[in-house]
Amino acid sequence: MKKKILGLLIAFGLSVPAFASITVSPTRLEINANKIRNNYVSTAIEIKGETDKPVRYRAYAGYFSVSDKGDMLMDDNVNDSHNISKQIRFVPSEFTVPPGKSQKVRVNIANIKSLPDGESRAILYLEDVNPKEMNVPNNFGIGAQLILKTRVGVPVYVDKGNFKKIGDVESFEVIKSQNGYVAQAKILSKGNSKIRYYGKIQVVKGKKLIDEISIESHVVGAENSYTLKEVISKDKFKEAGEYTVRLVLTYNDENDNKKNIKKDAILEMKGEKI
């Protein structure tokens, strides 16, 4: 007996190994509508398919929001004035990419002037038209065949009107854990457009820099928050005394100017074994 199971493999602007070697460039679109004279935006994405066989794709748009955990929440049916998925058209909307070749797809966004102030969003999907079949190992006499479709998503953000990108750190603390310490910060996006931050955590004793840890870039959704957690090895606090753990974040505001945020947490080590 064999059952067929439909699966969907999703990636966002990345190559998906094993099942589909598809690459999309750019990996995201960020548009300032205030710099556009017309009532529409026209841009393009490039899709590079598999190297050994042609693959047929179709392009369509959906909607997403960003949760307070930094996750993309997909809901194509959301009735939101910031949902621009219905205003997007693709040329072509279905196409075949020859082996090892690339295909450019024009992305047109209409009625830009009708958008509300702030950030509007959509997700551009590239989905293979012909699903792939994969046999699943036989268990207890029941076999299965996985019908796998690949979908790659490219987020698009459009800022319009009076939009603001305002970052802040509400709290920053260092918590002792089983394997060392965890630096935890609640990062806020107070404006009506997301912020995309990057930065570092420094461990300082006196005037000596003990360590510097790079922080992975992350998005905080408009009028939302995100909790950053970064592990710091206990080996960084070997000596007794006072340590400063410093969070340094950088993001670009609505005028593309760099903004820095610094927050300190103090640890007093007594020299006992951690």
Side-chain angles (χ1 to χ4, degrees):
M1 179 180 179
K2 181 177 287 188
K3 292 185 176 181
K4 288 192 175 183
I5 305 170
L6 179 63
L8 183 65
L9 181 64
I10 302 177
F12 296 97
L14 303 174
S15 292
V16 184
F19 299 107
S21 301
I22 176 175
T23 303
V24 181
S25 179
T27 57
R28 63 177 180 265
L29 296 173
E30 296 180 323
I31 299 164
N32 185 343
N34 293 344
K35 296 181 178 180
I36 297 183
R37 295 182 180 180
N38 300 315
N39 194 24
Y40 65 91
V41 173
S42 185
T43 184
I45 55 177
E46 186 173 19
I47 300 93
K48 186 173 183 180
E50 300 188 25
T51 58
D52 59 342
K53 60 182 177 181
V55 180
R56 190 160 184 82
Y57 296 98
R58 71 183 183 100
Y60 60 98
Y63 180 67
F64 76 95
S65 58
V66 181
S67 75
D68 57 3
K69 295 181 180 179
D71 299 325
M72 297 180 74
L73 304 178
M74 311 301 168
D75 192 340
D76 297 346
N77 298 315
V78 168
N79 184 18
D80 188 330
S81 60
H82 296 277
N83 179 358
I84 57 172
S85 63
K86 305 299 183 185
Q87 297 169 226
I88 295 177
R89 297 293 181 269
F90 299 90
V91 182
S93 60
E94 190 168 318
F95 52 91
T96 298
V97 180
K101 302 293 183 179
S102 298
Q103 169 74 48
K104 279 194 174 182
V105 175
R106 180 64 54 183
V107 180
N108 298 317
I109 309 173
N111 298 322
I112 292 296
K113 293 180 181 179
S114 68
L115 298 178
D117 284 353
E119 175 189 279
S120 296
R121 297 174 301 279
I123 184 83
L124 311 181
Y125 290 122
L126 287 307
E127 183 177 288
D128 59 346
V129 173
N130 301 311
K132 299 169 180 60
E133 297 183 358
M134 184 180 70
N135 291 322
V136 178
N138 189 309
N139 292 312
F140 306 105
I142 300 176
Q145 191 174 57
L146 184 64
I147 310 300
L148 189 66
K149 299 191 74 173
T150 304
R151 187 169 74 173
V152 176
V154 177
V156 54
Y157 304 88
V158 177
D159 287 315
K160 175 192 171 279
N162 184 24
F163 69 92
K164 296 292 183 182
K165 295 178 180 287
I166 305 171
D168 197 4
V169 176
E170 182 177 275
S171 61
F172 178 56
E173 59 183 340
V174 180
I175 304 168
K176 190 174 182 179
S177 70
Q178 186 176 0
N179 298 319
Y181 289 84
V182 176
Q184 181 171 299
K186 186 175 182 181
I187 304 171
L188 306 180
S189 176
K190 293 182 175 180
N192 57 0
S193 179
K194 73 179 186 316
I195 64 167
R196 187 184 304 276
Y197 71 81
Y198 59 94
K200 58 192 174 184
I201 291 176
Q202 297 175 328
V203 179
V204 180
K205 189 175 190 296
K207 295 183 178 181
K208 182 181 179 181
L209 178 64
I210 304 298
D211 194 22
E212 189 169 271
I213 305 165
S214 294
I215 298 172
E216 184 179 356
S217 177
H218 214 288
V219 166
V220 186
E223 299 177 345
N224 212 329
S225 66
Y226 175 73
T227 300
L228 165 72
K229 293 183 180 181
E230 190 73 36
V231 176
I232 305 176
S233 171
K234 61 184 179 181
D235 295 338
K236 309 305 176 184
F237 308 98
K238 291 182 177 179
E239 301 177 3
E242 185 179 274
Y243 289 81
T244 299
V245 181
R246 178 168 297 133
L247 173 67
V248 182
L249 294 182
T250 301
Y251 72 95
N252 286 16
D253 68 9
E254 63 276 6
N255 297 313
D256 209 29
N257 296 321
K258 284 188 177 181
K259 298 291 184 179
N260 296 313
I261 306 172
K262 294 182 180 180
K263 288 285 185 179
D264 288 351
I266 305 299
L267 284 182
E268 186 69 37
M269 309 304 300
K270 297 181 179 180
E272 74 271 17
K273 291 185 178 180
I274 305 171

